[in-house]
Amino acid sequence: LYSKSMFHSRAVIEAGDLVISRDNLTSIIITPGEEMHNKFGRYAHVDLIGQKFGTKLHSPPPHAGYIHLLRPTPELWTLSLPHRTQILYLPDISYITMRLGVRVGGKVIEAGTGSGSMTHSLSRTVGPTGQVLSFEYHQPRYEKALEEFKSHGLENVRLQHRNVCKDGFNDASGVEAVFLDLPAPWEAIPHAMKTLRPDIITKICCFSPCLEQVLKTVSTLRSEGFSDIFTQEVLIRTHELVKESDPDHLTSVSSVVDSLKAHEKRKVERRAVQMKTAREKARRQKENRDGVSSSEPGQKRKLEEDKAEGTPSADIDNEEKQQEQVKEYSAWVEPDTQLKNVVLTKPTPEMKGHTSYLTFASLYPEIIRNAIAAQESSKSAVA
Ligand code: SAM
């Protein structure tokens, strides 16, 4: 039923393989007789058979252009997949996977499946000895995902068509981690608890774009007995590389120290100007309020006295801080150490990338065992 797995390590492209073109991030399944035609050229699929993954392939004349033929990975699939919903991207996926402790051979629940971006990563992480139980209630999305997982050979993914908030997770059991990307995860949490292993600490993560959703999720997690509840947001901060050809390239540690000193000095100077302007403004306002003018001789003298006294302590603090910082920089560097061949980076101040808040929590075995015992005693009471 399943095609061969898309996560293989073969070096050479065969018919039926999924290949990703790096240049326009599109995927194709190599089908003899078919052609790929885009602004990078025209390629008959048969011409790709026998090429090594990673090859830069030039289009046959008269078309100019080339493509890079890449072996699929979950990362590339996330960038090239057809979107049927909003999807998870790698910064969130990798963080969630790490925090949930998803491991080779593990059993994990995911709901909803959506476009299958997260599913592909989970499938690779748990590997052939693990299992991903994925749930989707939207019929066309469920069918499309089913077809896709089969054609990608994701044999360790069991996809079910089910409303998990209303009907729970069917017969799922022995699960170590649950990931919920749903509009109302708090409705699915009591059902998810029943699937978790009672012999280890298990984990849950709920992915929600709004804080209102987070609050509902947190209060349900609390009332159901989860611990270690915390919410985080993954943001992206890029680092710019300082290139050697740059006129500002810093070639020695002493030049780094000099540049830090100059930066600190500029900051202190700016702050001093700001404080001076603020003082002048406050003085003018006071004069207007009191109806006095600084041109009156007694008042003028008083203002001058104020000014003489008034080296603001904040300025002194700043200068002292600057000196301390410069001493600190100088203490931990050998001034003549050369930084040649060292790559220097500078973080951009902007942080991008809010997609959602991630709420994590753990469930301790005794809570699950108590819940099972309570369930059994209520059953026997009814009987
Ligand atoms: N994480 C997915 C990915 O990376 O591609 C995207 C998930 S998408 C944002 C949310 C999905 O949850 C939608 O496809 C929606 O149909 C499904 N969904 C919403 N409520 C559901 C429920 N109660 N039971 C099952 N699926 C549900």
Side-chain angles (χ1 to χ4, degrees), residues 88 92 95-96 179-182 185 205-215 217-218 230-235 353-360:
L88 259 80
D92 286 302
Y95 191 66
I96 296 164
F179 173 65
L180 301 178
D181 181 3
L182 301 167
C205 172
C206 302
F207 184 84
S208 299
C210 310
L211 276 174
E212 288 74 8
Q213 291 164 304
V214 171
L215 293 177
T217 299
V218 169
F230 60 94
T231 298
Q232 294 182 319
E233 185 186 21
V234 177
L235 296 174
H354 173 82
T355 47
S356 278
Y357 297 105
L358 302 171
T359 301
F360 294 94

Side-chain angles (χ1 to χ4, degrees), residues 85-88 110-119 135-138 141 162-166 179 181-183:
T85 59
Q86 292 210 328
I87 65 163
L88 259 80
E110 161 202 57
T113 314
S115 306
S117 168
M118 181 71 172
T119 326
F135 296 84
E136 173 59 57
Y137 74 173
H138 185 272
R141 267 179 229 144
R162 203 171 170 86
N163 182 337
V164 295
C165 295
K166 218 166 117 251
F179 173 65
D181 181 3
L182 301 167

Side-chain angles (χ1 to χ4, degrees), residues 11-268:
V12 174
I13 298 171
E14 295 176 1
D17 274 348
L18 180 77
V19 175
I20 300 201
S21 144
R22 191 202 74 164
D23 312 275
N24 52 353
L25 285 168
T26 49
S27 62
I28 47 166
I29 294 193
I30 304 297
T31 317
E34 287 197 5
E35 263 197 348
M36 176 170 74
H37 186 195
N38 55 35
K39 68 173 180 171
F40 298 97
R42 183 185 284 272
Y43 304 87
H45 285 203
V46 279
D47 292 344
L48 273 58
I49 296 174
Q51 299 285 348
K52 279 193 173 164
F53 283 104
T55 299
K56 176 176 171 181
L57 187 69
H58 286 270
S59 172
H63 305 280
Y66 55 83
I67 51 171
H68 292 85
L69 308 170
L70 302 185
R71 187 190 291 127
T73 60
E75 290 78 9
L76 287 171
W77 180 248
T78 287
L79 295 176
S80 60
L81 60 77
H83 285 223
R84 301 181 282 272
T85 59
Q86 292 210 328
I87 65 163
L88 259 80
Y89 290 92
L90 262 298
D92 286 302
I93 294 177
S94 48
Y95 191 66
I96 296 164
T97 307
M98 184 269 291
R99 276 277 179 195
L100 287 182
V102 181
R103 62 177 183 95
V104 172
K107 198 174 193 180
V108 54
I109 278 182
E110 161 202 57
T113 314
S115 306
S117 168
M118 181 71 172
T119 326
H120 280 74
S121 279
L122 289 174
S123 166
R124 182 190 55 186
T125 305
V126 301
T129 53
Q131 198 175 32
V132 180
L133 303 171
S134 188
F135 296 84
E136 173 59 57
Y137 74 173
H138 185 272
Q139 178 86 26
R141 267 179 229 144
Y142 159 76
E143 282 168 11
K144 193 74 202 128
L146 196 63
E147 186 189 310
E148 207 169 75
F149 297 164
K150 281 189 176 148
S151 100
H152 293 175
L154 307 187
E155 286 189 59
N156 58 3
V157 177
R158 185 174 161 217
L159 178 62
Q160 297 179 60
H161 179 228
R162 203 171 170 86
N163 182 337
V164 295
C165 295
K166 218 166 117 251
D167 306 318
F169 294 88
N170 198 11
D171 54 356
S173 65
V175 170
E176 295 170 4
V178 174
F179 173 65
L180 301 178
D181 181 3
L182 301 167
W186 55 92
E187 291 177 1
I189 291 169
H191 300 293
M193 280 180 72
K194 296 181 191 146
T195 70
L196 294 172
R197 276 177 66 170
D199 55 334
I200 57 164
I201 299 172
T202 48
K203 310 262 178 190
I204 190 164
C205 172
C206 302
F207 184 84
S208 299
C210 310
L211 276 174
E212 288 74 8
Q213 291 164 304
V214 171
L215 293 177
K216 286 189 183 165
T217 299
V218 169
S219 73
T220 307
L221 288 169
R222 274 211 193 109
S223 63
E224 294 293 337
F226 281 83
S227 315
D228 313 332
I229 303 169
F230 60 94
T231 298
Q232 294 182 319
E233 185 186 21
V234 177
L235 296 174
I236 313 285
R237 169 174 277 180
T238 46
H239 284 242
E240 286 166 25
L241 291 186
V242 181
K243 293 190 206 118
E244 260 192 83
S245 53
D246 236 324
D248 293 339
H249 181 64
L250 306 165
T251 50
S252 72
V253 173
S254 41
S255 67
V256 176
V257 173
D258 288 346
S259 139
L260 288 169
K261 279 184 196 167
H263 178 70
E264 281 302 312
K265 189 160 176 270
R266 279 197 298 276
K267 249 174 41 189
V268 173

Side-chain angles (χ1 to χ4, degrees), residues 318-331:
N318 271 341
E319 275 180 36
E320 279 174 1
K321 257 192 220 148
Q322 183 205 3
Q323 292 305 327
E324 266 169 35
Q325 221 156 15
V326 168
K327 260 193 237 154
E328 226 176 83
Y329 297 140
S330 311

